[in-house]
């Protein structure tokens, strides 16, 4: 079993739900990322999603777009992201790390180079927002060869027929985008999310984690009732933005936000 599969299996056994925070690598500057990763684990994270900075993150709202800008301003490259994961792995061999980003930076260094470097760093899975399963076969095979998971997105507009194809191509877990829009936007309709997840759960054994629009413990708890886990990004990244000029204060604030969600999930 991969680290991701093992994590979900352990959570299911204990009747708990996965808490998956997202931050952008290199935000507010590369030297703080590893410390923030550890802080999130201390606050109750089960899996970490680490964003690979990109100049045109089309699925992301202004909060994460600006995080990418801050990271790129400090010169954070894809290869730097691998170095950060390597550093994190020196003291944490258990927590799965999933890289989330876009195809362009991967193509810039080549599929094979990217996958080998990711595996060597200790990455457990990769989610490429703009790489649909129909075009991901070669990349997914390389990941599988290094025992890493291919995480794919499902959306409110995804048909059951297409969802089956996505689930067949994916591994680790499926990321359900709860909103029609970009990250950090709109208000969640929990009953609508629940109805859609019930449809998807009947056609796959992969865990379903919900992201986009999760702002607090109450929302996280409501969505955890109908899923296998929740993904929180903008609610954390917005705090990083507020404290970008006082980076030493970021870790305690992120721990406070995530701890509240952990407590709500476990209540």
């Amino acid at each position: 079993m991969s680290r991701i599969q093992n994590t979900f299996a352990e959570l299911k056994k204990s009747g708990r739900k996965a808490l998956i925070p997202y931050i952008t690598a290199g935000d507010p500057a590369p030297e703080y990322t590893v410390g923030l990763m550890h802080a999130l684990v201390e606050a109750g994270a089960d899996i970490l999603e680490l964003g690979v900075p990109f100049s045109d993150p089309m699925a992301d709202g202004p909060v994460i777009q600006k995080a990418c800008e801050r990271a790129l301003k400090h010169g954070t490259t894809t290869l730097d992201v691998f170095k950060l994961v390597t550093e994190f792995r020196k003291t944490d061999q258990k927590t799965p790390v999933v890289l989330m980003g876009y195809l362009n930076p991967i193509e810039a260094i080549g599929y094979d180079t990217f996958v080998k470097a990711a595996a060597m760093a200790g990455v457990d899975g990769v989610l490429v927002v703009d790489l649909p399963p129909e075009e991901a076969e070669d990349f997914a095979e390389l990941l599988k060869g290094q025992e890493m998971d291919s995480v794919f997105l499902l959306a409110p507009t995804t048909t059951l027929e297409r969802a089956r194809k996505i689930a067949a191509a994916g591994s680790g877990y499926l990321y359900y985008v709860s909103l029609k829009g970009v990250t950090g936007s709109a208000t969640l309709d929990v009953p609508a999310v629940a109805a859609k997840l019930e449809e998807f759960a009947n056609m796959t054994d992969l865990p379903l984690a919900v992201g986009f629009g999760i702002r607090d413990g109450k929302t996280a708890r409501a969505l955890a009732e109908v899923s296998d886990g929740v993904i929180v990004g903008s609610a954390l990244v917005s705090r990083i933005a507020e404290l970008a000029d006082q980076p030493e204060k970021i870790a305690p604030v992120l721990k406070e936000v995530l701890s509240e969600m952990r407590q709500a999930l476990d209540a």
Side-chain angles (χ1 to χ4, degrees):
M1 294 176 78
S2 70
R3 260 189 290 242
I4 294 172
Q5 293 165 334
N6 191 55
T7 295
F8 275 107
E10 287 182 359
L11 287 166
K12 188 173 183 179
K13 195 182 298 182
S14 61
R16 298 168 69 240
K17 300 299 176 80
L19 180 56
I20 309 173
Y22 166 98
I23 58 172
T24 302
D27 177 33
E31 59 266 30
Y32 297 103
T33 298
V34 175
L36 294 181
M37 292 169 73
H38 286 304
L40 293 171
V41 174
E42 290 166 12
D46 298 296
I47 296 170
L48 298 176
E49 282 190 0
L50 190 61
V52 179
F54 180 48
S55 57
D56 188 23
M58 65 188 81
D60 294 294
V63 171
I64 292 177
Q65 287 185 16
K66 288 174 183 175
C68 285
E69 289 173 10
R70 288 191 296 272
L72 292 171
K73 185 179 178 181
H74 285 280
T76 311
T77 67
T78 304
L79 296 178
D80 290 330
V81 176
F82 299 139
K83 292 175 186 175
L84 295 173
V85 177
T86 299
E87 185 66 26
F88 175 76
R89 282 282 172 243
K90 288 180 180 178
T91 48
D92 188 326
Q93 287 290 323
K94 183 181 179 183
T95 308
V97 175
V98 175
L99 298 186
M100 184 172 181
Y102 294 82
L103 187 58
N104 189 281
I106 297 173
E107 288 193 328
I109 63 174
Y111 284 3
D112 195 52
T113 300
F114 178 93
V115 170
K116 285 179 179 175
M120 191 173 295
V123 171
D124 300 282
V126 182
L127 193 168
V128 186
V129 176
D130 52 350
L131 183 63
E134 293 88 348
E135 299 173 17
E137 191 173 330
D138 291 345
F139 186 62
E141 278 299 313
L142 288 170
L143 290 175
K144 186 177 179 181
Q146 295 288 348
E147 299 182 344
M148 286 187 284
D149 287 310
S150 299
V151 181
F152 286 103
L153 297 169
L154 294 170
T157 54
T158 305
T159 64
L160 280 180
E161 181 183 356
R162 177 155 178 77
R164 288 189 185 94
K165 292 178 181 177
I166 293 170
S171 62
Y173 61 98
L174 295 172
Y175 184 135
Y176 179 69
V177 176
S178 60
L179 303 168
K180 296 176 184 176
V182 295
T183 55
S185 66
T187 303
L188 279 171
D189 181 345
V190 176
V193 173
K196 200 70 177 175
L197 284 172
E198 187 176 359
E199 291 181 4
F200 293 148
N202 289 327
M203 58 82 196
T204 181
D205 292 328
L206 288 175
L208 294 164
V210 185
F212 284 46
I214 298 169
R215 303 173 188 277
D216 52 34
K218 183 180 178 181
T219 315
R221 174 63 187 261
L223 289 173
E225 295 281 352
V226 297
S227 69
D228 299 297
V230 295
I231 300 161
V232 54
S234 293
L236 298 172
V237 177
S238 62
R239 303 303 201 287
I240 295 174
E242 291 165 6
L243 295 167
D245 295 330
Q246 300 171 287
E248 70 283 353
K249 294 184 178 181
I250 294 173
V253 171
L254 295 195
K255 287 177 75 171
E256 184 179 345
V257 174
L258 204 67
S259 292
E260 188 228 340
M261 293 189 182
R262 179 78 269 169
Q263 289 167 15
L265 293 185
D266 294 343

